[in-house]
Amino acid sequence: MPGVASDTVGNGALVPFSDDTKDSLAVYPLHHGLAPPISRLAISWSRGNSLRVSLFASPSSSEPSSTSDDQSGGKVLEVKLGVGDPEISDSRWRQIAYGSVAPFALLQSRRSALSAMMNSSSPYQMDWWEHMLEYSKDITSLLGGPKLPPSPIIEEPTDIVKKGEEPTCLKAAWELLEIFYADKQSQAWLPERLVDWLADYDSLFSSTQETVYGKLALFQKELVNIQVIEDDPRYWQVMSSALSVGWLDIVVKMLRLHGSYQQDQLSNRELENGLVEAVAVLISKTPRLCHESTIGKLGELFKSKPDFIKAWEKWRSQITKLDCSPFWIQCDNRRTREGLRNLLQIMLGNTESLCSATCYWIELYISHFLYIRPFTMGIESMYNLAQKCIQLKPPSSNHKLTGLMIVILEENTEVVLAESSREFGPWLVAHAIELLTAGSEQAEIVLHEERDNLGGISMIELHRLVYAQVLSTHELTWQIAPIYLTSCMKQGMGLLENLLYRQSVQHNDLLLKNIEICRLYQLDHISSDIMKVAGVYHWKHGHKGAGVYWLQQSQDTSRLNRIAQQLFDSVGKSISDESFKQWEGLIELLGSESKPAGGLEFLHKYRDFKKSLQQVYSGKSMDAARQAVVSLLLLMKNPSTPQRFWLPLLYDSLKLFNWQECPLLNVSEINLLLNKLQELSSARLHPHFSEPNLPAEALSSIRLALATNLGRAILDE
């Protein structure tokens, strides 16, 4: 398989590759335990995104003299392609896949309704973004990580960092896309949304670099061992870091841990405590251009930009006034004095203080919006600022969320899609692509444009098809793939047909599910073909009744007639033949309410005739005999009764013709049967006529019985 190599335990490459291409290949170790050499290797697709690798040892390596513990001649291993997402288990991925179907389908339905109402393919002149935001919120709630244990009722003063749920990169990426694309209201308070986003997901960056969250969590663990907290430089460092990214509640809580607040210290350190409290009050009064998620957080909340600007200027003047206050000279505690003034410098937007307080470029980036560029609206010039922050805080290693942030700021929709696909997989792209078009006709045109290099399909259809293919490869998710395939106008229906045809017909539940999907999407021709396949499968595997049932459901007259021809070989024998019960049970399965097709109509009526004859031979009354005659006449009159069975039917009815008490047939009915015999005599002249397996005297016995019955009937009339 091109681009994939596997390395054995003995460092011998099963698939050779040169050192020049080694860095561009994905290498998967195979711990097979077989003694070298390996004579043969077979690779095939397994379920999901996995390969089934079969290894065959050479005959010499599996001899009893081998020193290997495993003497088998081969091994079959499953190799999962790609590193996957260690944060999310397979079962959780399936839960996300199923949970995202309803929001996606609802959004597509609304899109179709709005487009039809506007007679246009672009519904963005209306409040489409509101539907998009509702869709995004539904997906966000679905992506929530596992809930952490609840906080105690009585909080510990030293509990600085709290988390309600375990964050995941997938949810962080989704919310980032929502902030920049779907939530149009957030453009007015974009810095505030980024502060909240970082507060929720800063811990995710701790895997690749130092973060403010990591510093706070580490300090919280060591806090119980610190005697005089304000004399510890880490206390002021972590507070400066938390303030730089706007975590006001944490900073105020930490300031209240200052030793000057203790009862026995308050009288001796009144000036120092006053300065600490003044800074705490200023922090708690930080102006914030608010939105709903900031309710309950520290800071003065403003919903209009003019009010926010006024409050901001007043707040900054208060900080400047405090920074120039003579009380700093009177403060004896050097660490407190320097620590508090550093907090003031951060709030005043001192670039050097912000750089030293933050750990990596995204934290520095957000601190610029909080303290240097608080009036930023939209994402104008945000990319240039990001590049500046990256230069000031070069990343020590790459993280997929930082990469996504950069391409979003570049405002290139196709690059955002490529980065999302590479780092987060097809699920995110298939669903987030809707967010990228929210309120942007240009993005809508780019993503819906049909491209020759993609086989005449659009970018949106391509990514939906890719995701649908991933769903189709797993036995637990293929059922939801049609939702995405039917939204692809060019190639979706063709791939849906292939998917439905591939499903097994041997399990009834799976077969019914497959047929139900065909019904939902009005794919009657596929449903008919699937039922035909099911009928043939069950018939060939000995499930005769199920085979006939599914062929009837598909209205496959041709195959039903062929089955009838097979059953005809069992019909036409003597009434005492034991084979009667074998085919009678199959005809019984057709049911009295079924609609037999072709030759099965004859068998259904012949079953009734045989039953009546059995009652006659069992010594039943005259009524049973008359019912048998009625069944015989129906069969002889019906054009579906094959001609080669006329004579066996008449031969089985000899007892009816020779009924002792009275003639059971009138003159016209006997003439009908005699005419059938005459037609049969003419048919014998044809070369393809098949003689029934009856005694040699059968025809003469029938003629004699009919002639006798005719005479008696004439006399009665």
Side-chain angles (χ1 to χ4, degrees):
M1 178 171 291
V4 177
S6 1
D7 218 2
T8 63
V9 175
N11 294 326
L14 294 176
V15 181
F17 54 90
S18 65
D19 293 337
D20 296 337
T21 60
K22 186 172 182 178
D23 293 337
S24 61
L25 295 176
V27 180
Y28 298 92
L30 295 178
H31 304 285
H32 49 76
L34 296 175
I38 303 299
S39 64
R40 192 156 58 95
L41 175 72
I43 302 177
S44 61
W45 281 110
S46 181
R47 66 178 186 175
N49 194 29
S50 301
L51 293 177
R52 183 179 291 111
V53 182
S54 303
L55 303 104
F56 302 91
S58 61
S60 60
S61 65
S62 58
E63 294 177 356
S65 59
S66 175
T67 59
S68 174
D69 293 337
D70 191 346
Q71 301 298 330
S72 62
K75 278 289 185 68
V76 178
L77 304 174
E78 190 170 272
V79 180
K80 189 170 184 179
L81 299 181
V83 296
D85 192 339
E87 297 177 330
I88 304 176
S89 63
D90 291 343
S91 60
R92 176 62 179 144
W93 264 120
R94 289 193 293 273
Q95 183 182 4
I96 291 173
Y98 273 91
S100 55
V101 168
F104 177 83
L106 177 61
L107 187 68
Q108 299 309 310
S109 176
R110 286 173 169 172
R111 178 192 290 273
S112 300
L114 284 174
S115 297
M117 185 169 58
M118 297 173 55
N119 194 24
S120 170
S121 61
S122 178
Y124 299 119
Q125 291 128 2
M126 303 179 69
D127 294 333
W128 174 248
W129 69 269
E130 293 182 356
H131 296 310
M132 192 69 70
L133 186 58
E134 180 184 347
Y135 162 75
S136 181
K137 296 300 182 186
D138 290 340
I139 297 293
T140 301
S141 62
L142 172 68
L143 296 178
K147 299 296 183 182
L148 298 177
S151 303
I153 298 177
I154 302 176
E155 293 187 4
E156 291 288 337
T158 56
D159 288 342
I160 301 171
V161 183
K162 300 177 186 176
K163 285 196 299 183
E165 66 180 24
E166 195 66 39
T168 62
C169 289
L170 186 64
K171 186 178 181 182
W174 183 272
E175 289 196 8
L176 200 59
L177 293 169
E178 177 189 298
I179 291 171
F180 283 97
Y181 293 101
D183 191 356
K184 297 306 175 184
Q185 288 182 333
S186 72
Q187 300 300 319
W189 46 74
L190 190 58
E192 194 65 45
R193 286 296 308 270
L194 290 175
V195 169
D196 293 340
W197 181 84
L198 187 66
D200 292 334
Y201 302 110
D202 192 51
S203 60
L204 296 172
F205 296 93
S206 300
S207 60
T208 58
Q209 56 214 341
E210 187 182 25
T211 62
V212 171
Y213 174 86
K215 292 167 68 173
L216 284 169
L218 181 61
F219 182 73
Q220 180 174 278
K221 293 178 182 178
E222 301 176 356
L223 190 56
V224 294
N225 300 320
I226 301 176
Q227 297 295 326
V228 183
I229 191 170
E230 62 270 21
D231 289 342
D232 193 315
R234 294 173 299 174
Y235 171 69
W236 298 103
Q237 290 172 5
V238 295
M239 264 200 301
S240 299
S241 297
L243 181 61
S244 67
V245 292
W247 299 351
L248 309 182
D249 49 346
I250 291 178
V251 179
V252 171
K253 188 172 185 178
M254 292 186 68
L255 282 174
R256 298 282 160 76
L257 296 177
H258 194 276
S260 64
Y261 282 96
Q262 297 179 13
Q263 293 295 328
D264 58 342
Q265 300 283 330
L266 193 57
S267 59
N268 299 327
R269 304 171 66 179
E270 185 176 356
L271 176 62
E272 184 180 354
N273 179 257
L275 291 172
V276 174
E277 183 63 21
V279 173
V281 169
L282 281 173
I283 293 173
S284 63
K285 295 293 183 180
T286 302
R288 307 181 74 168
L289 196 57
C290 75
H291 57 98
E292 293 179 0
S293 64
T294 59
I295 302 300
K297 295 185 178 181
L298 287 182
E300 290 189 350
L301 310 181
F302 298 92
K303 292 187 177 181
S304 66
K305 188 174 181 181
D307 293 340
F308 172 70
I309 293 175
K310 280 184 186 179
W312 175 267
E313 292 174 349
K314 180 181 178 181
W315 178 71
R316 286 291 288 264
S317 65
Q318 291 173 343
I319 296 173
T320 304
K321 183 177 179 180
L322 179 60
D323 188 46
C324 299
S325 172
F327 292 113
W328 296 108
I329 302 174
Q330 303 173 30
C331 182
D332 297 332
N333 192 318
R334 181 181 61 85
R335 290 196 182 277
T336 298
R337 183 174 65 249
E338 293 176 354
L340 290 176
R341 299 199 74 173
N342 187 51
L343 295 180
L344 293 179
Q345 289 301 309
I346 288 175
M347 290 188 285
L348 289 171
N350 185 294
T351 305
E352 184 177 345
S353 298
L354 291 174
C355 282
S356 61
T358 52
C359 299
Y360 61 104
W361 75 266
I362 290 183
E363 293 177 348
L364 178 61
Y365 185 64
I366 292 175
S367 71
H368 271 71
F369 291 122
L370 287 171
Y371 304 112
I372 299 178
R373 299 175 56 181
F375 309 130
T376 299
M377 299 287 288
I379 60 174
E380 297 84 358
S381 71
M382 291 182 69
Y383 177 71
N384 293 332
L385 177 60
Q387 293 296 325
K388 177 183 176 182
C389 292
I390 291 174
Q391 292 177 0
L392 294 173
K393 288 279 186 181
S396 56
S397 59
N398 294 325
H399 192 280
K400 53 187 177 183
L401 287 174
T402 60
L404 180 61
M405 173 80 83
I406 292 173
V407 297
I408 288 175
L409 296 175
E410 289 179 355
E411 299 186 73
N412 188 321
T413 305
E414 295 184 49
V415 177
V416 172
L417 282 179
E419 183 70 15
S420 300
S421 178
R422 183 173 67 89
E423 295 291 356
F424 300 96
W427 177 90
L428 181 68
V429 180
H431 294 83
I433 202 168
E434 300 288 349
L435 304 183
L436 303 184
T437 61
S440 172
E441 292 193 14
Q442 181 181 1
E444 175 79 6
I445 293 172
V446 169
L447 296 179
H448 280 89
E449 179 187 5
E450 296 178 358
R451 308 188 179 205
D452 294 336
N453 61 337
L454 298 180
I457 64 175
S458 63
M459 293 286 290
I460 283 186
E461 183 165 342
L462 171 66
H463 289 290
R464 287 179 186 169
L465 290 175
V466 170
Y467 178 59
Q469 291 282 59
V470 172
L471 294 174
S472 302
T473 59
H474 200 286
E475 59 186 0
L476 298 179
T477 57
W478 73 267
Q479 298 95 328
I480 58 179
I483 299 290
Y484 300 90
L485 290 174
T486 51
S487 68
C488 302
M489 304 305 295
K490 288 285 187 178
Q491 299 183 8
M493 296 307 296
L495 291 175
L496 176 57
E497 292 184 12
N498 292 337
L499 171 64
L500 296 175
Y501 281 134
R502 286 206 316 265
Q503 303 310 312
S504 172
V505 297
Q506 56 184 311
H507 301 297
N508 197 50
D509 291 342
L510 185 59
L511 177 58
L512 292 174
K513 180 67 177 178
N514 212 5
I515 294 173
E516 176 64 14
I517 292 174
C518 293
R519 185 191 66 80
L520 288 174
Y521 297 105
Q522 300 178 349
L523 301 174
D524 296 336
H525 64 290
I526 299 179
S527 176
S528 178
D529 291 344
I530 291 172
M531 289 188 285
K532 288 178 184 178
V533 173
V536 172
Y537 172 85
H538 286 295
W539 181 265
K540 288 185 175 181
H541 286 78
H543 310 142
K544 306 294 186 182
V548 171
Y549 171 80
W550 287 115
L551 289 174
Q552 278 189 313
Q553 295 300 308
S554 66
Q555 299 181 351
D556 190 350
T557 306
S558 174
R559 286 188 174 86
L560 286 172
N561 285 333
R562 281 202 292 257
I563 289 176
Q565 293 298 324
Q566 295 182 29
L567 294 178
F568 292 163
D569 294 337
S570 300
V571 182
K573 296 185 178 181
S574 173
I575 191 65
S576 61
D577 196 336
E578 291 297 328
S579 65
F580 171 73
K581 293 183 179 179
Q582 298 177 8
W583 65 263
E584 183 196 23
L586 180 57
I587 301 302
E588 196 71 44
L589 288 173
L590 298 175
S592 58
E593 298 180 358
S594 64
K595 297 179 180 179
L600 291 180
E601 183 180 1
F602 158 71
L603 293 179
H604 196 75
K605 293 179 178 179
Y606 189 72
R607 183 271 316 270
D608 297 335
F609 171 67
K610 282 285 192 178
K611 281 187 174 181
S612 300
L613 276 184
Q614 280 185 329
Q615 293 177 355
V616 171
Y617 279 87
S618 300
K620 298 292 182 180
S621 63
M622 174 72 72
D623 293 337
R626 292 190 183 279
Q627 182 60 45
V629 170
V630 172
S631 298
L632 172 65
L633 292 173
L634 287 174
L635 282 169
M636 298 303 290
K637 292 178 181 179
N638 197 314
S640 68
T641 302
Q643 194 178 56
R644 65 190 181 96
F645 291 111
W646 289 356
L647 197 60
L649 284 170
L650 296 173
Y651 185 72
D652 283 343
S653 304
L654 283 176
K655 187 170 183 177
L656 301 177
F657 302 153
N658 296 322
W659 197 257
Q660 295 296 327
E661 298 178 12
C662 63
L664 298 178
L665 292 89
N666 58 32
V667 175
S668 62
E669 292 170 343
I670 295 173
N671 285 332
L672 170 68
L673 299 181
L674 289 172
N675 289 334
K676 293 292 183 182
L677 283 178
Q678 185 62 35
E679 291 181 30
L680 199 58
S681 298
S682 301
R684 283 184 170 184
L685 301 176
H686 293 283
H688 299 295
F689 182 80
S690 176
E691 288 286 352
N693 185 19
L694 294 174
E697 68 278 5
L699 181 59
S700 59
S701 298
I702 293 171
R703 290 184 182 277
L704 178 60
L706 288 175
T708 303
N709 198 99
L710 178 62
R712 295 172 64 192
I714 293 174
L715 291 175
D716 286 347
E717 294 182 0

